[in-house]
Amino acid sequence: MIFTQEVKTRIQDALISKGANKPCSVCNSKDLVLVDELILSDKSSGGKFPTIVTGCGNCGKIETFAANTLVPGLLPNGKVGEY
Ligand SMILES: [Zn+2]
């Protein structure tokens, strides 16, 4: 699922409101990049675990967030297929 601009804005607002927009923990760059696609882990017992991924635009360090925790209500019923 590629994020619409509306969804990207909701995610960026959540990152800010939850304090998850700090400078990179490796290189201290403030160049935070949001990967504009929902990433699914196929390792979870339920088969799908939607995650939101951000990366550092300088060194490439990647951070992952549980989509349903970072942005409650982003996915109806917490399920990707019903988005
Ligand atoms: Zn970095």
Side-chain angles (χ1 to χ4, degrees), residues 16-55:
I16 293 167
S17 71
K18 296 190 174 191
N21 61 335
K22 293 183 174 60
C24 176
S25 62
V26 174
C27 72
N28 215 33
S29 169
K30 292 180 180 172
D31 186 12
L32 185 70
V33 177
L34 172 65
V35 176
D36 64 354
E37 183 174 7
L38 197 67
I39 306 298
L40 300 177
S41 168
D42 59 2
K43 303 292 184 188
S44 64
S45 60
K48 291 180 179 177
F49 185 71
T51 56
I52 291 167
V53 177
T54 62

mmCIF file of all heavy atoms in Angstrom, residues 16-55:
data_model
loop_
_atom_site.group_PDB
_atom_site.id
_atom_site.type_symbol
_atom_site.label_atom_id
_atom_site.label_comp_id
_atom_site.label_asym_id
_atom_site.label_seq_id
_atom_site.Cartn_x
_atom_site.Cartn_y
_atom_site.Cartn_z
ATOM 1 N N ILE A 16 5.731 13.404 15.040
ATOM 2 C CA ILE A 16 6.064 14.628 15.768
ATOM 3 C C ILE A 16 5.420 14.622 17.148
ATOM 4 O O ILE A 16 6.078 14.853 18.163
ATOM 5 C CB ILE A 16 5.619 15.869 14.953
ATOM 6 C CG1 ILE A 16 6.467 15.985 13.689
ATOM 7 C CG2 ILE A 16 5.723 17.133 15.799
ATOM 8 C CD1 ILE A 16 5.934 16.975 12.664
ATOM 9 N N SER A 17 4.121 14.292 17.206
ATOM 10 C CA SER A 17 3.405 14.367 18.484
ATOM 11 C C SER A 17 3.916 13.339 19.490
ATOM 12 O O SER A 17 3.820 13.541 20.692
ATOM 13 C CB SER A 17 1.903 14.210 18.271
ATOM 14 O OG SER A 17 1.583 12.879 17.922
ATOM 15 N N LYS A 18 4.487 12.246 19.000
ATOM 16 C CA LYS A 18 5.006 11.209 19.897
ATOM 17 C C LYS A 18 6.512 11.332 20.119
ATOM 18 O O LYS A 18 7.129 10.456 20.726
ATOM 19 C CB LYS A 18 4.642 9.831 19.354
ATOM 20 C CG LYS A 18 3.128 9.638 19.347
ATOM 21 C CD LYS A 18 2.691 8.232 19.052
ATOM 22 C CE LYS A 18 1.172 8.132 19.216
ATOM 23 N NZ LYS A 18 0.682 6.747 19.209
ATOM 24 N N GLY A 19 7.086 12.381 19.582
ATOM 25 C CA GLY A 19 8.512 12.620 19.808
ATOM 26 C C GLY A 19 9.420 11.678 19.043
ATOM 27 O O GLY A 19 10.559 11.451 19.444
ATOM 28 N N ALA A 20 8.912 11.126 17.942
ATOM 29 C CA ALA A 20 9.690 10.155 17.173
ATOM 30 C C ALA A 20 10.353 10.806 15.958
ATOM 31 O O ALA A 20 10.632 10.145 14.962
ATOM 32 C CB ALA A 20 8.786 9.002 16.736
ATOM 33 N N ASN A 21 10.599 12.082 16.055
ATOM 34 C CA ASN A 21 11.215 12.797 14.942
ATOM 35 C C ASN A 21 12.557 13.414 15.342
ATOM 36 O O ASN A 21 12.960 14.442 14.836
ATOM 37 C CB ASN A 21 10.268 13.892 14.427
ATOM 38 C CG ASN A 21 9.953 14.927 15.490
ATOM 39 O OD1 ASN A 21 10.034 14.646 16.682
ATOM 40 N ND2 ASN A 21 9.618 16.127 15.064
ATOM 41 N N LYS A 22 13.224 12.744 16.275
ATOM 42 C CA LYS A 22 14.507 13.267 16.744
ATOM 43 C C LYS A 22 15.595 13.036 15.696
ATOM 44 O O LYS A 22 15.443 12.200 14.815
ATOM 45 C CB LYS A 22 14.881 12.570 18.048
ATOM 46 C CG LYS A 22 13.942 12.923 19.203
ATOM 47 C CD LYS A 22 14.393 12.280 20.496
ATOM 48 C CE LYS A 22 13.540 12.750 21.665
ATOM 49 N NZ LYS A 22 12.118 12.428 21.515
ATOM 50 N N PRO A 23 16.701 13.762 15.819
ATOM 51 C CA PRO A 23 17.808 13.556 14.878
ATOM 52 C C PRO A 23 18.289 12.096 14.918
ATOM 53 O O PRO A 23 18.125 11.401 15.915
ATOM 54 C CB PRO A 23 18.894 14.505 15.400
ATOM 55 C CG PRO A 23 18.147 15.556 16.141
ATOM 56 C CD PRO A 23 16.958 14.862 16.745
ATOM 57 N N CYS A 24 18.891 11.659 13.836
ATOM 58 C CA CYS A 24 19.382 10.279 13.702
ATOM 59 C C CYS A 24 20.296 9.910 14.882
ATOM 60 O O CYS A 24 21.172 10.683 15.271
ATOM 61 C CB CYS A 24 20.149 10.157 12.389
ATOM 62 S SG CYS A 24 20.905 8.540 12.146
ATOM 63 N N SER A 25 20.079 8.711 15.443
ATOM 64 C CA SER A 25 20.865 8.268 16.599
ATOM 65 C C SER A 25 22.282 7.861 16.219
ATOM 66 O O SER A 25 23.136 7.691 17.075
ATOM 67 C CB SER A 25 20.165 7.093 17.287
ATOM 68 O OG SER A 25 20.061 5.993 16.413
ATOM 69 N N VAL A 26 22.540 7.708 14.926
ATOM 70 C CA VAL A 26 23.880 7.318 14.486
ATOM 71 C C VAL A 26 24.702 8.537 14.072
ATOM 72 O O VAL A 26 25.799 8.762 14.575
ATOM 73 C CB VAL A 26 23.793 6.311 13.305
ATOM 74 C CG1 VAL A 26 25.168 6.016 12.734
ATOM 75 C CG2 VAL A 26 23.129 5.026 13.773
ATOM 76 N N CYS A 27 24.150 9.336 13.161
ATOM 77 C CA CYS A 27 24.951 10.429 12.592
ATOM 78 C C CYS A 27 24.468 11.815 13.013
ATOM 79 O O CYS A 27 25.065 12.818 12.641
ATOM 80 C CB CYS A 27 24.970 10.318 11.074
ATOM 81 S SG CYS A 27 23.397 10.750 10.306
ATOM 82 N N ASN A 28 23.347 11.861 13.748
ATOM 83 C CA ASN A 28 22.797 13.120 14.257
ATOM 84 C C ASN A 28 22.197 14.017 13.173
ATOM 85 O O ASN A 28 21.888 15.174 13.422
ATOM 86 C CB ASN A 28 23.855 13.887 15.055
ATOM 87 C CG ASN A 28 23.231 14.645 16.224
ATOM 88 O OD1 ASN A 28 22.250 14.195 16.805
ATOM 89 N ND2 ASN A 28 23.796 15.792 16.553
ATOM 90 N N SER A 29 22.021 13.471 11.981
ATOM 91 C CA SER A 29 21.391 14.247 10.916
ATOM 92 C C SER A 29 19.912 14.447 11.225
ATOM 93 O O SER A 29 19.273 13.610 11.855
ATOM 94 C CB SER A 29 21.531 13.505 9.583
ATOM 95 O OG SER A 29 20.710 14.108 8.604
ATOM 96 N N LYS A 30 19.356 15.556 10.763
ATOM 97 C CA LYS A 30 17.927 15.816 10.944
ATOM 98 C C LYS A 30 17.159 15.518 9.660
ATOM 99 O O LYS A 30 16.003 15.884 9.519
ATOM 100 C CB LYS A 30 17.724 17.275 11.365
ATOM 101 C CG LYS A 30 18.271 17.554 12.758
ATOM 102 C CD LYS A 30 18.070 19.000 13.151
ATOM 103 C CE LYS A 30 18.632 19.243 14.554
ATOM 104 N NZ LYS A 30 18.638 20.658 14.916
ATOM 105 N N ASP A 31 17.817 14.836 8.735
ATOM 106 C CA ASP A 31 17.210 14.526 7.441
ATOM 107 C C ASP A 31 16.402 13.230 7.531
ATOM 108 O O ASP A 31 16.832 12.177 7.066
ATOM 109 C CB ASP A 31 18.311 14.418 6.383
ATOM 110 C CG ASP A 31 17.729 14.237 4.982
ATOM 111 O OD1 ASP A 31 16.508 14.412 4.806
ATOM 112 O OD2 ASP A 31 18.512 13.918 4.067
ATOM 113 N N LEU A 32 15.222 13.316 8.174
ATOM 114 C CA LEU A 32 14.362 12.147 8.363
ATOM 115 C C LEU A 32 13.522 11.925 7.100
ATOM 116 O O LEU A 32 12.913 12.843 6.589
ATOM 117 C CB LEU A 32 13.444 12.379 9.565
ATOM 118 C CG LEU A 32 12.551 11.217 9.991
ATOM 119 C CD1 LEU A 32 13.384 10.094 10.589
ATOM 120 C CD2 LEU A 32 11.508 11.696 10.987
ATOM 121 N N VAL A 33 13.530 10.691 6.620
ATOM 122 C CA VAL A 33 12.788 10.349 5.407
ATOM 123 C C VAL A 33 11.745 9.290 5.750
ATOM 124 O O VAL A 33 12.057 8.292 6.390
ATOM 125 C CB VAL A 33 13.752 9.801 4.327
ATOM 126 C CG1 VAL A 33 12.979 9.381 3.090
ATOM 127 C CG2 VAL A 33 14.811 10.823 3.981
ATOM 128 N N LEU A 34 10.507 9.525 5.326
ATOM 129 C CA LEU A 34 9.441 8.546 5.517
ATOM 130 C C LEU A 34 9.339 7.679 4.275
ATOM 131 O O LEU A 34 9.201 8.186 3.161
ATOM 132 C CB LEU A 34 8.106 9.270 5.762
ATOM 133 C CG LEU A 34 6.856 8.397 5.803
ATOM 134 C CD1 LEU A 34 6.883 7.442 6.993
ATOM 135 C CD2 LEU A 34 5.605 9.260 5.835
ATOM 136 N N VAL A 35 9.454 6.361 4.451
ATOM 137 C CA VAL A 35 9.233 5.448 3.330
ATOM 138 C C VAL A 35 7.739 5.464 3.047
ATOM 139 O O VAL A 35 6.935 5.190 3.935
ATOM 140 C CB VAL A 35 9.719 4.022 3.682
ATOM 141 C CG1 VAL A 35 9.396 3.044 2.559
ATOM 142 C CG2 VAL A 35 11.220 4.038 3.958
ATOM 143 N N ASP A 36 7.349 5.826 1.824
ATOM 144 C CA ASP A 36 5.934 6.105 1.561
ATOM 145 C C ASP A 36 5.139 4.858 1.175
ATOM 146 O O ASP A 36 4.291 4.889 0.296
ATOM 147 C CB ASP A 36 5.790 7.204 0.509
ATOM 148 C CG ASP A 36 6.335 6.814 -0.846
ATOM 149 O OD1 ASP A 36 6.931 5.726 -0.950
ATOM 150 O OD2 ASP A 36 6.163 7.601 -1.787
ATOM 151 N N GLU A 37 5.423 3.780 1.883
ATOM 152 C CA GLU A 37 4.704 2.536 1.624
ATOM 153 C C GLU A 37 4.609 1.761 2.930
ATOM 154 O O GLU A 37 5.560 1.728 3.711
ATOM 155 C CB GLU A 37 5.476 1.712 0.587
ATOM 156 C CG GLU A 37 4.789 0.443 0.191
ATOM 157 C CD GLU A 37 5.513 -0.281 -0.943
ATOM 158 O OE1 GLU A 37 6.617 0.141 -1.319
ATOM 159 O OE2 GLU A 37 4.974 -1.267 -1.429
ATOM 160 N N LEU A 38 3.463 1.122 3.165
ATOM 161 C CA LEU A 38 3.306 0.286 4.355
ATOM 162 C C LEU A 38 4.105 -0.999 4.140
ATOM 163 O O LEU A 38 3.996 -1.635 3.103
ATOM 164 C CB LEU A 38 1.830 -0.034 4.567
ATOM 165 C CG LEU A 38 1.432 -0.553 5.939
ATOM 166 C CD1 LEU A 38 1.617 0.541 6.987
ATOM 167 C CD2 LEU A 38 -0.001 -1.027 5.939
ATOM 168 N N ILE A 39 4.912 -1.358 5.129
ATOM 169 C CA ILE A 39 5.742 -2.552 5.016
ATOM 170 C C ILE A 39 5.136 -3.657 5.875
ATOM 171 O O ILE A 39 4.771 -3.420 7.030
ATOM 172 C CB ILE A 39 7.183 -2.261 5.502
ATOM 173 C CG1 ILE A 39 7.764 -1.042 4.769
ATOM 174 C CG2 ILE A 39 8.074 -3.486 5.310
ATOM 175 C CD1 ILE A 39 7.901 -1.180 3.271
ATOM 176 N N LEU A 40 5.013 -4.843 5.320
ATOM 177 C CA LEU A 40 4.444 -5.965 6.060
ATOM 178 C C LEU A 40 5.535 -6.960 6.402
ATOM 179 O O LEU A 40 6.302 -7.374 5.541
ATOM 180 C CB LEU A 40 3.374 -6.674 5.225
ATOM 181 C CG LEU A 40 2.183 -5.826 4.803
ATOM 182 C CD1 LEU A 40 1.255 -6.656 3.925
ATOM 183 C CD2 LEU A 40 1.448 -5.302 6.004
ATOM 184 N N SER A 41 5.575 -7.338 7.680
ATOM 185 C CA SER A 41 6.479 -8.404 8.071
ATOM 186 C C SER A 41 5.738 -9.716 7.920
ATOM 187 O O SER A 41 4.622 -9.861 8.379
ATOM 188 C CB SER A 41 6.920 -8.232 9.523
ATOM 189 O OG SER A 41 7.560 -9.404 9.959
ATOM 190 N N ASP A 42 6.348 -10.673 7.267
ATOM 191 C CA ASP A 42 5.693 -11.978 7.131
ATOM 192 C C ASP A 42 6.173 -12.942 8.214
ATOM 193 O O ASP A 42 5.942 -14.128 8.157
ATOM 194 C CB ASP A 42 5.930 -12.576 5.739
ATOM 195 C CG ASP A 42 7.399 -12.760 5.442
ATOM 196 O OD1 ASP A 42 8.223 -12.464 6.327
ATOM 197 O OD2 ASP A 42 7.723 -13.201 4.335
ATOM 198 N N LYS A 43 6.840 -12.387 9.231
ATOM 199 C CA LYS A 43 7.359 -13.225 10.313
ATOM 200 C C LYS A 43 6.414 -13.288 11.505
ATOM 201 O O LYS A 43 6.611 -14.081 12.402
ATOM 202 C CB LYS A 43 8.713 -12.695 10.807
ATOM 203 C CG LYS A 43 9.770 -12.581 9.713
ATOM 204 C CD LYS A 43 10.199 -13.936 9.205
ATOM 205 C CE LYS A 43 11.324 -13.790 8.197
ATOM 206 N NZ LYS A 43 11.636 -15.058 7.533
ATOM 207 N N SER A 44 5.377 -12.452 11.508
ATOM 208 C CA SER A 44 4.473 -12.446 12.658
ATOM 209 C C SER A 44 3.555 -13.660 12.608
ATOM 210 O O SER A 44 3.290 -14.214 11.542
ATOM 211 C CB SER A 44 3.653 -11.159 12.676
ATOM 212 O OG SER A 44 2.821 -11.088 11.540
ATOM 213 N N SER A 45 3.053 -14.073 13.764
ATOM 214 C CA SER A 45 2.233 -15.282 13.812
ATOM 215 C C SER A 45 0.938 -15.125 13.018
ATOM 216 O O SER A 45 0.393 -16.096 12.514
ATOM 217 C CB SER A 45 1.936 -15.670 15.264
ATOM 218 O OG SER A 45 1.251 -14.616 15.900
ATOM 219 N N GLY A 46 0.453 -13.887 12.919
ATOM 220 C CA GLY A 46 -0.762 -13.650 12.158
ATOM 221 C C GLY A 46 -0.503 -13.514 10.672
ATOM 222 O O GLY A 46 -1.427 -13.344 9.890
ATOM 223 N N GLY A 47 0.750 -13.576 10.280
ATOM 224 C CA GLY A 47 1.096 -13.503 8.864
ATOM 225 C C GLY A 47 1.382 -12.098 8.382
ATOM 226 O O GLY A 47 2.104 -11.913 7.418
ATOM 227 N N LYS A 48 0.798 -11.107 9.055
ATOM 228 C CA LYS A 48 1.029 -9.735 8.611
ATOM 229 C C LYS A 48 1.209 -8.842 9.825
ATOM 230 O O LYS A 48 0.472 -8.957 10.799
ATOM 231 C CB LYS A 48 -0.149 -9.222 7.787
ATOM 232 C CG LYS A 48 -0.271 -9.904 6.452
ATOM 233 C CD LYS A 48 -1.462 -9.355 5.702
ATOM 234 C CE LYS A 48 -1.579 -10.030 4.336
ATOM 235 N NZ LYS A 48 -2.760 -9.584 3.600
ATOM 236 N N PHE A 49 2.161 -7.980 9.749
ATOM 237 C CA PHE A 49 2.412 -7.045 10.834
ATOM 238 C C PHE A 49 2.782 -5.728 10.180
ATOM 239 O O PHE A 49 3.924 -5.522 9.764
ATOM 240 C CB PHE A 49 3.556 -7.562 11.714
ATOM 241 C CG PHE A 49 3.796 -6.711 12.926
ATOM 242 C CD1 PHE A 49 2.896 -6.700 13.982
ATOM 243 C CD2 PHE A 49 4.934 -5.925 13.007
ATOM 244 C CE1 PHE A 49 3.127 -5.910 15.097
ATOM 245 C CE2 PHE A 49 5.176 -5.134 14.119
ATOM 246 C CZ PHE A 49 4.270 -5.129 15.164
ATOM 247 N N PRO A 50 1.793 -4.830 10.029
ATOM 248 C CA PRO A 50 2.052 -3.598 9.290
ATOM 249 C C PRO A 50 2.994 -2.655 10.037
ATOM 250 O O PRO A 50 2.781 -2.372 11.222
ATOM 251 C CB PRO A 50 0.666 -2.978 9.114
ATOM 252 C CG PRO A 50 -0.166 -3.563 10.200
ATOM 253 C CD PRO A 50 0.394 -4.930 10.485
ATOM 254 N N THR A 51 3.999 -2.229 9.353
ATOM 255 C CA THR A 51 4.963 -1.324 9.952
ATOM 256 C C THR A 51 5.173 -0.093 9.073
ATOM 257 O O THR A 51 5.032 -0.132 7.854
ATOM 258 C CB THR A 51 6.338 -1.994 10.187
ATOM 259 O OG1 THR A 51 6.809 -2.521 8.953
ATOM 260 C CG2 THR A 51 6.240 -3.119 11.204
ATOM 261 N N ILE A 52 5.495 0.980 9.770
ATOM 262 C CA ILE A 52 5.849 2.236 9.118
ATOM 263 C C ILE A 52 7.350 2.397 9.274
ATOM 264 O O ILE A 52 7.891 2.184 10.365
ATOM 265 C CB ILE A 52 5.071 3.404 9.755
ATOM 266 C CG1 ILE A 52 3.587 3.277 9.393
ATOM 267 C CG2 ILE A 52 5.645 4.755 9.307
ATOM 268 C CD1 ILE A 52 2.670 4.166 10.184
ATOM 269 N N VAL A 53 8.019 2.722 8.185
ATOM 270 C CA VAL A 53 9.468 2.783 8.188
ATOM 271 C C VAL A 53 9.933 4.205 7.907
ATOM 272 O O VAL A 53 9.450 4.854 6.981
ATOM 273 C CB VAL A 53 10.055 1.828 7.121
ATOM 274 C CG1 VAL A 53 11.572 1.934 7.058
ATOM 275 C CG2 VAL A 53 9.632 0.394 7.408
ATOM 276 N N THR A 54 10.870 4.656 8.743
ATOM 277 C CA THR A 54 11.530 5.924 8.462
ATOM 278 C C THR A 54 13.021 5.637 8.330
ATOM 279 O O THR A 54 13.526 4.636 8.848
ATOM 280 C CB THR A 54 11.313 6.967 9.579
ATOM 281 O OG1 THR A 54 11.877 6.481 10.799
ATOM 282 C CG2 THR A 54 9.835 7.260 9.785
ATOM 283 N N GLY A 55 13.693 6.491 7.624
ATOM 284 C CA GLY A 55 15.127 6.310 7.458
ATOM 285 C C GLY A 55 15.839 7.633 7.542
ATOM 286 O O GLY A 55 15.232 8.702 7.419
#
